[in-house]
Amino acid sequence: DAGVTQSPTHLIKTRGQQVTLRCSPKSGHDTVSWYQQALGQGPQFIFQYYEEEERQRGNFPDRFSGHQFPNYSSELNVNALLLGDSALYLCASSFTSGSETQYFGPGTRLLVL
Amino acid sequence: GEDVEQSLFLSVREGDSSVINCTYTDSSSTYLYWYKQEPGAGLQLLTYIFSNMDMKQDQRLTVLLNKKDKHLSLRIADTQTGDSAIYFCAESIRGDTGRRALTFGSGTRLQVQP
């Protein structure tokens, strides 16, 4: 059983560009959450998708948007990249019942130059 | 608001026990988690505890929860060099929409000396 997978593993972009990151959830999971982890810090919640809709959002600007597909996979889009968007982006999947325990993927490391 | 606090660094000798501490602020949170992160990797779920429990043991790991003081600890028995990593405490908080999201501490770097 594959766990949570993310692509790409690494990405380099320049300021002002746009980026799309992808996530496939663990088998049996229907909810995907995205987190941003800056160097030396804990992950910060960006938003969560369930039934193809954004259900909850953290304190991130509208430049951060997402999508969930019928197969539960998800994308995170960031527009007008800033240097400060350089971080590890983590995807977590969960099942919307019980503890809703979140399992994380390996992350995508984004560097904005 | 919600805030999770952890000490930044802990150094122990191989074979000793490690105790990593965490304080949280949201009294409504019902699940508390410990995750491990090795260099350049994602987060690995170690264990979690439901708020109606005081203690949970899973092999070398023991979690203690003091709800009155909002204090959570993770004890690793017989610490090995492979346990060297950053350990994150996280609380699961239900938002306005009823969905749960995690709030993390800044992580405790555990260094195990051979």
Coordinates of all heavy atoms in Angstrom, one line a residue, chain A residues 30-31 33 35 37 40-45 48-50 55-56 88 90 96 98-107 109, chain B residues 8 31 33 35 37 40-45 48 86 88 92-107:
Chain A
D30 N -9.7 10.3 2.1 CA -10.5 11.2 1.2 C -10.3 12.7 1.4 O -10.9 13.5 0.8 CB -12.0 10.9 1.4 CG -12.4 11.0 2.9 OD1 -11.6 11.6 3.7 OD2 -13.5 10.6 3.2
T31 N -9.4 13.0 2.3 CA -9.1 14.4 2.7 C -7.6 14.7 2.5 O -6.8 13.9 2.9 CB -9.5 14.6 4.2 OG1 -10.9 14.4 4.3 CG2 -9.3 16.1 4.6
S33 N -4.7 17.7 3.2 CA -4.3 19.0 3.8 C -2.9 19.4 3.3 O -2.1 18.5 3.1 CB -4.3 18.9 5.3 OG -5.6 18.5 5.8
Y35 N 0.5 21.9 4.0 CA 1.3 22.7 5.0 C 2.6 23.2 4.4 O 3.1 22.6 3.5 CB 1.7 21.7 6.2 CG 0.5 21.2 7.0 CD1 -0.2 20.1 6.6 CD2 0.2 21.8 8.2 CE1 -1.3 19.7 7.3 CE2 -0.9 21.4 9.0 CZ -1.6 20.3 8.5 OH -2.7 19.8 9.2
Q37 N 6.4 24.4 5.4 CA 7.4 24.4 6.5 C 8.6 25.2 6.1 O 9.4 24.7 5.2 CB 7.8 22.9 6.8 CG 8.7 22.8 8.0 CD 9.1 21.4 8.3 OE1 9.1 20.5 7.5 NE2 9.6 21.2 9.5
G40 N 13.8 25.5 9.6 CA 13.9 25.7 11.1 C 12.6 25.9 11.8 O 12.7 26.1 13.0
Q41 N 11.5 25.7 11.2 CA 10.2 25.9 11.8 C 9.3 24.7 11.7 O 9.6 23.8 10.9 CB 9.5 27.1 11.2 CG 10.3 28.4 11.4 CD 9.5 29.6 10.8 OE1 8.3 29.6 10.6 NE2 10.2 30.7 10.5
G42 N 8.2 24.7 12.4 CA 7.2 23.7 12.3 C 6.3 24.0 11.1 O 6.2 25.1 10.6
P43 N 5.6 23.0 10.6 CA 4.7 23.2 9.5 C 3.6 24.1 9.9 O 3.1 24.1 11.0 CB 4.2 21.8 9.2 CG 5.2 20.8 9.8 CD 5.8 21.5 11.0
Q44 N 3.1 24.9 8.9 CA 2.0 25.8 9.0 C 0.9 25.4 8.1 O 1.1 25.2 6.9 CB 2.4 27.3 8.7 CG 3.5 27.8 9.6 CD 3.0 28.2 11.0 OE1 2.0 28.7 11.2 NE2 3.8 27.8 12.0
F45 N -0.3 25.3 8.6 CA -1.5 24.8 7.8 C -1.9 25.9 6.8 O -2.1 27.0 7.1 CB -2.6 24.6 8.8 CG -3.9 24.3 8.1 CD1 -4.1 23.1 7.5 CD2 -5.0 25.1 8.2 CE1 -5.3 22.7 6.9 CE2 -6.2 24.8 7.6 CZ -6.4 23.6 6.9
Q48 N -7.3 22.8 3.5 CA -7.7 21.4 3.5 C -8.8 21.2 2.4 O -9.7 22.0 2.3 CB -8.2 21.0 4.8 CG -8.6 19.5 5.0 CD -9.1 19.2 6.4 OE1 -10.3 19.3 6.7 NE2 -8.2 18.8 7.2
Y49 N -8.7 20.1 1.7 CA -9.7 19.8 0.7 C -10.4 18.4 1.0 O -9.8 17.5 1.4 CB -9.1 19.7 -0.7 CG -8.9 21.0 -1.3 CD1 -7.9 21.8 -1.0 CD2 -9.9 21.5 -2.2 CE1 -7.8 23.1 -1.6 CE2 -9.8 22.7 -2.8 CZ -8.7 23.5 -2.4 OH -8.6 24.8 -3.0
Y50 N -11.7 18.5 0.9 CA -12.6 17.3 1.0 C -13.7 17.4 0.1 O -14.3 18.5 -0.1 CB -13.1 17.2 2.5 CG -14.1 16.2 2.8 CD1 -13.9 14.8 2.6 CD2 -15.4 16.6 3.1 CE1 -14.9 13.9 2.9 CE2 -16.4 15.6 3.3 CZ -16.1 14.3 3.2 OH -17.1 13.4 3.5
R55 N -12.2 23.2 2.5 CA -13.1 23.2 3.7 C -12.6 24.0 4.8 O -13.4 24.4 5.7 CB -13.2 21.7 4.2 CG -13.8 20.8 3.2 CD -15.3 21.1 2.9 NE -15.9 20.2 1.9 CZ -17.2 20.1 1.7 NH1 -18.0 20.8 2.5 NH2 -17.6 19.2 0.8
Q56 N -11.3 24.3 4.9 CA -10.7 25.1 5.9 C -9.4 25.7 5.4 O -8.8 25.1 4.5 CB -10.4 24.2 7.1 CG -10.1 25.0 8.4 CD -10.0 24.1 9.6 OE1 -10.4 22.9 9.6 NE2 -9.5 24.6 10.7
L88 N 9.6 23.9 2.4 CA 9.2 22.6 2.1 C 7.6 22.5 2.2 O 7.1 22.9 3.2 CB 9.8 21.6 3.2 CG 9.4 20.1 3.0 CD1 10.1 19.5 1.8 CD2 9.9 19.3 4.2
L90 N 4.4 20.3 2.4 CA 4.0 19.0 2.8 C 2.5 18.8 2.6 O 1.7 19.7 2.9 CB 4.3 18.8 4.3 CG 5.7 18.9 4.7 CD1 5.9 19.1 6.2 CD2 6.4 17.5 4.3
T96 N -12.0 11.1 6.8 CA -12.9 12.0 7.5 C -13.8 11.3 8.5 O -15.0 11.5 8.5 CB -13.7 12.9 6.5 OG1 -14.4 13.9 7.2 CG2 -14.7 12.0 5.7
G98 N -13.5 9.5 12.8 CA -12.7 9.1 13.9 C -11.7 10.2 14.2 O -12.0 11.4 14.3
S99 N -10.4 9.8 14.4 CA -9.4 10.7 14.8 C -9.0 11.7 13.7 O -8.4 12.7 13.9 CB -8.2 10.0 15.3 OG -7.6 9.2 14.2
E100 N -9.3 11.3 12.4 CA -8.8 12.1 11.2 C -7.3 12.3 11.3 O -6.8 13.3 10.9 CB -9.5 13.5 11.2 CG -11.1 13.4 11.1 CD -11.7 14.7 11.1 OE1 -11.2 15.7 10.5 OE2 -12.8 14.8 11.8
T101 N -6.6 11.2 11.7 CA -5.2 11.3 11.8 C -4.5 11.6 10.4 O -4.9 10.9 9.5 CB -4.6 10.0 12.4 OG1 -5.1 9.9 13.7 CG2 -3.1 10.0 12.4
Q102 N -3.6 12.5 10.4 CA -3.0 12.9 9.1 C -1.7 12.2 8.9 O -0.8 12.2 9.8 CB -2.8 14.4 9.1 CG -4.2 15.1 9.1 CD -4.1 16.6 8.9 OE1 -3.1 17.1 8.5 NE2 -5.2 17.3 9.3
Y103 N -1.5 11.7 7.7 CA -0.2 11.0 7.3 C 0.4 11.9 6.2 O -0.3 12.3 5.3 CB -0.5 9.6 6.8 CG -1.0 8.7 7.9 CD1 -2.4 8.7 8.2 CD2 -0.2 7.8 8.6 CE1 -2.9 7.9 9.2 CE2 -0.6 7.0 9.6 CZ -2.0 7.0 9.9 OH -2.4 6.2 10.9
F104 N 1.7 12.1 6.4 CA 2.4 13.0 5.5 C 3.2 12.4 4.4 O 3.7 11.3 4.6 CB 3.3 13.9 6.4 CG 2.6 15.0 7.2 CD1 2.0 14.7 8.4 CD2 2.6 16.3 6.7 CE1 1.4 15.6 9.1 CE2 1.9 17.3 7.4 CZ 1.3 16.9 8.6
G105 N 3.3 13.1 3.3 CA 4.2 12.7 2.2 C 5.6 13.2 2.5 O 5.8 13.9 3.5
P106 N 6.5 13.0 1.5 CA 7.9 13.4 1.7 C 8.1 14.9 1.5 O 9.2 15.4 1.8 CB 8.6 12.5 0.6 CG 7.6 12.3 -0.4 CD 6.3 12.2 0.3
G107 N 7.2 15.5 0.9 CA 7.3 17.0 0.7 C 7.9 17.3 -0.7 O 8.5 16.5 -1.4
R109 N 10.3 20.4 -2.0 CA 11.1 21.6 -1.6 C 11.2 22.6 -2.7 O 11.6 22.3 -3.8 CB 12.6 21.1 -1.3 CG 13.4 22.2 -0.6 CD 14.6 21.8 0.1 NE 14.3 20.9 1.3 CZ 13.9 21.4 2.4 NH1 13.8 22.7 2.6 NH2 13.7 20.5 3.4
Chain B
L8 N 14.0 23.5 22.2 CA 14.6 23.5 20.9 C 15.5 22.3 20.7 O 15.6 21.7 19.6 CB 15.4 24.7 20.6 CG 14.6 26.0 20.4 CD1 15.5 27.2 20.1 CD2 13.6 25.8 19.3
Y31 N -7.1 15.4 20.1 CA -6.0 14.5 19.8 C -4.7 15.3 19.7 O -4.7 16.4 19.2 CB -6.3 14.0 18.4 CG -7.5 13.0 18.3 CD1 -8.7 13.5 17.9 CD2 -7.3 11.7 18.6 CE1 -9.8 12.6 17.9 CE2 -8.4 10.8 18.6 CZ -9.6 11.3 18.2 OH -10.7 10.4 18.2
Y33 N -0.5 14.8 18.9 CA 0.4 13.9 18.1 C 1.8 14.2 18.3 O 2.2 15.3 18.6 CB 0.1 14.2 16.6 CG -1.3 13.8 16.1 CD1 -2.4 14.7 16.3 CD2 -1.6 12.5 15.6 CE1 -3.7 14.3 15.9 CE2 -2.8 12.2 15.2 CZ -3.9 13.0 15.4 OH -5.2 12.7 15.0
Y35 N 5.2 13.6 15.8 CA 5.8 13.3 14.5 C 7.3 13.4 14.6 O 7.8 14.2 15.3 CB 5.3 14.2 13.5 CG 3.8 14.1 13.0 CD1 2.8 14.8 13.7 CD2 3.5 13.2 12.0 CE1 1.5 14.6 13.3 CE2 2.2 13.1 11.6 CZ 1.2 13.8 12.3 OH -0.1 13.6 11.9
Q37 N 10.8 13.9 12.2 CA 11.3 14.4 10.9 C 12.8 14.2 10.8 O 13.5 14.8 11.6 CB 10.9 15.8 10.6 CG 11.2 16.3 9.2 CD 10.7 17.7 8.9 OE1 10.8 18.5 9.7 NE2 10.2 17.9 7.7
G40 N 15.8 16.4 5.5 CA 15.4 16.3 4.1 C 14.1 15.4 3.9 O 13.8 15.2 2.7
A41 N 13.4 15.0 4.9 CA 12.3 14.1 4.8 C 11.0 14.7 5.2 O 11.0 15.8 5.8 CB 12.6 12.8 5.5
G42 N 9.9 14.0 5.0 CA 8.6 14.4 5.5 C 8.4 14.1 6.9 O 9.4 13.7 7.6
L43 N 7.2 14.1 7.4 CA 6.9 13.8 8.8 C 6.4 12.4 8.9 O 5.5 12.0 8.2 CB 5.9 14.8 9.4 CG 6.4 16.1 9.9 CD1 7.1 17.0 8.9 CD2 5.3 16.9 10.6
Q44 N 7.0 11.7 9.9 CA 6.6 10.3 10.2 C 5.7 10.3 11.4 O 6.2 10.8 12.5 CB 7.8 9.4 10.3 CG 7.5 8.0 10.8 CD 8.8 7.3 11.2 OE1 9.9 7.8 11.1 NE2 8.6 6.1 11.8
L45 N 4.5 9.8 11.4 CA 3.7 9.7 12.6 C 4.3 8.7 13.5 O 4.5 7.5 13.1 CB 2.3 9.3 12.2 CG 1.3 9.1 13.3 CD1 1.0 10.4 14.1 CD2 0.0 8.4 12.8
Y48 N -0.1 9.0 18.8 CA -1.0 10.0 19.2 C -1.8 9.6 20.4 O -1.9 8.4 20.7 CB -1.9 10.5 18.1 CG -2.9 9.5 17.6 CD1 -4.2 9.4 18.1 CD2 -2.6 8.5 16.6 CE1 -5.1 8.5 17.6 CE2 -3.5 7.6 16.1 CZ -4.8 7.6 16.6 OH -5.7 6.7 16.2
I86 N 14.3 15.5 14.4 CA 13.5 16.6 15.0 C 12.1 16.0 15.3 O 11.5 15.3 14.4 CB 13.4 17.8 14.0 CG1 14.7 18.4 13.7 CG2 12.5 18.9 14.7 CD1 14.7 19.5 12.7
F88 N 8.2 16.7 16.5 CA 7.2 17.7 16.5 C 6.0 17.3 17.3 O 5.5 16.2 17.1 CB 6.7 18.1 15.1 CG 7.7 18.9 14.3 CD1 8.6 18.2 13.4 CD2 7.9 20.2 14.4 CE1 9.5 18.9 12.6 CE2 8.8 21.0 13.7 CZ 9.6 20.3 12.8
S92 N -4.6 18.7 17.3 CA -5.6 18.7 16.3 C -6.7 19.5 16.7 O -7.4 19.2 17.7 CB -6.0 17.2 16.1 OG -7.1 17.1 15.1
I93 N -7.0 20.6 16.0 CA -8.0 21.6 16.4 C -9.1 21.6 15.3 O -8.9 21.7 14.1 CB -7.4 23.0 16.5 CG1 -6.3 22.9 17.6 CG2 -8.4 24.0 16.8 CD1 -5.5 24.2 17.8
R94 N -10.3 21.6 15.8 CA -11.5 21.6 14.9 C -11.8 23.1 14.6 O -12.0 23.9 15.6 CB -12.7 20.9 15.6 CG -13.7 20.4 14.5 CD -14.8 19.7 15.2 NE -14.5 18.3 15.7 CZ -14.5 17.3 14.9 NH1 -14.6 17.4 13.6 NH2 -14.2 16.1 15.4
G95 N -11.8 23.4 13.3 CA -12.1 24.8 13.0 C -13.5 25.1 12.9 O -14.4 24.3 13.2
D96 N -13.8 26.3 12.4 CA -15.2 26.8 12.3 C -16.1 25.9 11.4 O -17.3 25.8 11.6 CB -15.3 28.2 11.7 CG -14.6 29.2 12.7 OD1 -14.5 28.9 13.9 OD2 -14.2 30.3 12.2
T97 N -15.4 25.3 10.4 CA -16.2 24.4 9.5 C -16.4 23.0 10.0 O -16.9 22.1 9.4 CB -15.5 24.3 8.1 OG1 -14.2 23.8 8.3 CG2 -15.4 25.7 7.5
G98 N -15.8 22.7 11.2 CA -15.9 21.4 11.8 C -14.8 20.5 11.4 O -14.7 19.3 11.8
R99 N -13.9 21.0 10.5 CA -12.8 20.1 10.0 C -11.6 20.3 11.0 O -11.4 21.4 11.6 CB -12.4 20.6 8.6 CG -13.6 20.6 7.7 CD -14.2 19.3 7.4 NE -13.1 18.4 6.8 CZ -13.4 17.1 6.5 NH1 -14.5 16.6 6.8 NH2 -12.4 16.4 5.9
R100 N -10.7 19.3 11.0 CA -9.6 19.3 11.9 C -8.3 19.7 11.1 O -8.1 19.2 10.0 CB -9.3 17.9 12.5 CG -10.4 17.5 13.5 CD -10.0 16.2 14.2 NE -10.9 15.9 15.3 CZ -10.8 16.5 16.5 NH1 -9.9 17.3 16.8 NH2 -11.7 16.1 17.5
A101 N -7.5 20.5 11.7 CA -6.2 20.9 11.2 C -5.2 20.8 12.3 O -5.6 20.9 13.5 CB -6.2 22.3 10.6
L102 N -3.9 20.6 12.0 CA -2.9 20.4 13.0 C -2.2 21.8 13.2 O -1.8 22.5 12.2 CB -1.9 19.4 12.5 CG -2.4 18.0 12.4 CD1 -1.3 17.0 11.8 CD2 -2.9 17.4 13.7
T103 N -1.9 22.0 14.4 CA -1.0 23.2 14.8 C 0.2 22.6 15.4 O 0.1 21.8 16.4 CB -1.7 24.1 15.8 OG1 -2.9 24.7 15.2 CG2 -0.8 25.2 16.2
F104 N 1.4 22.9 14.9 CA 2.6 22.3 15.3 C 3.5 23.2 16.2 O 3.4 24.5 16.1 CB 3.5 22.0 14.1 CG 3.0 20.8 13.3 CD1 2.0 21.0 12.3 CD2 3.6 19.6 13.5 CE1 1.6 19.9 11.6 CE2 3.1 18.5 12.7 CZ 2.1 18.6 11.8
G105 N 4.3 22.6 17.0 CA 5.3 23.4 17.7 C 6.5 23.5 16.7 O 6.5 23.1 15.6
S106 N 7.6 24.2 17.2 CA 8.7 24.5 16.3 C 9.7 23.3 16.3 O 10.6 23.3 15.5 CB 9.5 25.7 16.9 OG 8.7 26.8 16.8
G107 N 9.4 22.2 17.0 CA 10.2 21.0 16.9 C 11.4 21.0 18.0 O 11.9 22.1 18.3

